[in-house]
Amino acid sequence: MPMRNFLTPAAAYLNRRNDLLAERSVVQSPAVIKTINKALLASEIAIATFYDLESLRTLQQRKARLIDGHDEQRQQELQRFELLSHTLSLSDATDETAFIDYQQSFNRLAASYPWQHANIELVQNELFTTTLNLWLETLEMLFSVNNRRYLLARIEKILTFSIGKIPLLGEAQDVWQALVSVMVFCRQRTNNDEAYFTSLESYSETADLCSRGILLFCFTTEALLRGQPIPNETRLNEKIKSHYNRVIDGTHPYF
């Protein structure tokens, strides 16, 4: 899912925010002003996840220094494991029975794989790096594009990719459930008519979906990197709500 990187999320956010403020300054309809204010708040909630992603990157880099993943034999072993893992299929990412079967197959593969130079921790590290960069690019895209059709499809692809990699995290069925709920909402929105994808309503909703996807990734990955239990779905939702509240009351460290 390549994307031309011509801004940073922060620069793109400032451009979007300025556009919304300029639009709000020339309208008189209370309903329109309310819609713009909602979009401004959704923008703030989303850009605050940039701080979470960058904090996660710093933590991951500190942990990665303890892992020697550049040896050629290690890289070849990782590539062979990845190719083998691709032979496993998840027929429906939203079907719980299919996911459980897939997770069990993955666990058997990881347990029986003849590790010599690499390990699951190295595979996790590569997954974290890839996913983090995908979300950074998507966050930038959120603030940059005016039509959200492709953006919603992109978010769904990242969520599908993440679900396919959940077995690497261990027993994380609650994370699967949380990701599926966001993905299903994405799919529902892609069925709307074309006017929706250029509306401020679609911007606010897409910003919310992007924020939730990023936060699920951040909270799950941070727990693993710190050697803590993966949060269950209730705890994940509590942490997401806390993020939103801290942005609203101005206590989030990004601002």
Side-chain angles (χ1 to χ4, degrees):
M1 289 175 275
M3 174 185 171
R4 185 170 65 90
N5 192 13
F6 56 94
L7 291 173
T8 68
Y13 160 74
L14 287 175
N15 288 343
R16 173 68 69 179
R17 181 176 181 274
N18 289 339
D19 288 345
L20 288 169
L21 289 172
E23 184 177 353
R24 190 178 65 179
S25 69
V26 296
V27 299
Q28 296 181 337
S29 166
V32 175
I33 291 173
K34 182 178 179 180
T35 300
I36 295 173
N37 286 339
K38 182 179 179 181
L40 283 165
L41 177 58
S43 300
E44 291 182 352
I45 290 169
I47 193 57
T49 67
F50 179 43
Y51 174 91
D52 295 68
L53 284 168
E54 289 297 287
S55 298
L56 185 65
R57 188 201 296 275
T58 301
L59 174 61
Q60 182 203 6
Q61 287 173 341
R62 286 205 308 268
K63 297 286 288 188
R65 291 191 192 105
L66 305 175
I67 306 172
D68 180 12
H70 301 293
D71 179 86
E72 184 176 349
Q73 289 178 310
R74 284 183 174 85
Q75 289 303 313
Q76 289 175 351
E77 194 167 295
L78 289 170
Q79 289 169 8
R80 288 195 296 271
F81 178 79
E82 185 176 357
L83 287 172
L84 277 175
S85 69
H86 288 166
T87 64
L88 305 176
S89 63
L90 177 57
S91 56
D92 181 357
T94 63
D95 181 81
E96 185 172 10
T97 301
F99 174 74
I100 291 172
D101 289 344
Y102 172 74
Q103 179 159 284
Q104 291 173 345
S105 297
F106 194 99
N107 291 344
R108 286 194 296 269
L109 171 63
S112 63
Y113 189 77
W115 299 105
Q116 289 183 316
H117 308 286
N119 51 44
I120 284 294
E121 189 177 15
L122 277 171
V123 183
Q124 288 176 341
N125 188 62
E126 293 201 350
L127 168 64
F128 297 156
T129 299
T130 299
T131 310
L132 191 148
N133 288 332
L134 287 172
W135 278 123
L136 281 174
E137 291 170 355
T138 304
L139 190 59
E140 178 184 327
M141 190 177 179
L142 167 71
F143 300 123
S144 303
V145 302
N146 292 320
N147 188 308
R148 261 69 67 177
R149 179 181 286 279
Y150 172 75
L151 181 55
L152 279 164
R154 179 186 173 88
I155 293 172
E156 183 182 338
K157 285 182 180 179
I158 296 175
L159 295 170
T160 303
F161 169 77
S162 298
I163 287 171
K165 299 297 184 182
I166 283 179
L168 271 174
L169 312 181
E171 296 299 321
Q173 201 150 332
D174 279 356
V175 179
W176 167 81
Q177 182 62 57
L179 290 172
V180 165
S181 65
V182 181
M183 188 170 70
V184 168
F185 201 90
C186 278
R187 288 181 178 177
Q188 291 171 344
R189 286 298 176 262
T190 54
N191 293 327
N192 285 354
D193 58 43
E194 195 61 34
Y196 166 78
F197 297 107
T198 56
S199 67
L200 270 184
E201 178 188 11
S202 78
Y203 172 75
S204 297
E205 288 189 338
T206 305
D208 179 64
L209 292 168
C210 188
S211 296
R212 288 179 178 275
I214 289 172
L215 292 171
L216 287 170
F217 166 68
C218 286
F219 297 144
T220 302
T221 304
E222 181 183 8
L224 282 165
L225 289 173
R226 294 190 184 279
Q228 299 170 350
I230 297 174
N232 61 26
E233 189 174 7
T234 299
R235 182 62 181 143
L236 286 169
N237 286 331
E238 288 174 351
K239 290 170 75 69
I240 290 172
K241 183 178 180 181
S242 174
H243 172 93
Y244 279 51
N245 288 340
R246 285 189 301 155
V247 173
I248 291 168
D249 63 25
T251 60
H252 191 282
Y254 183 84
F255 297 102

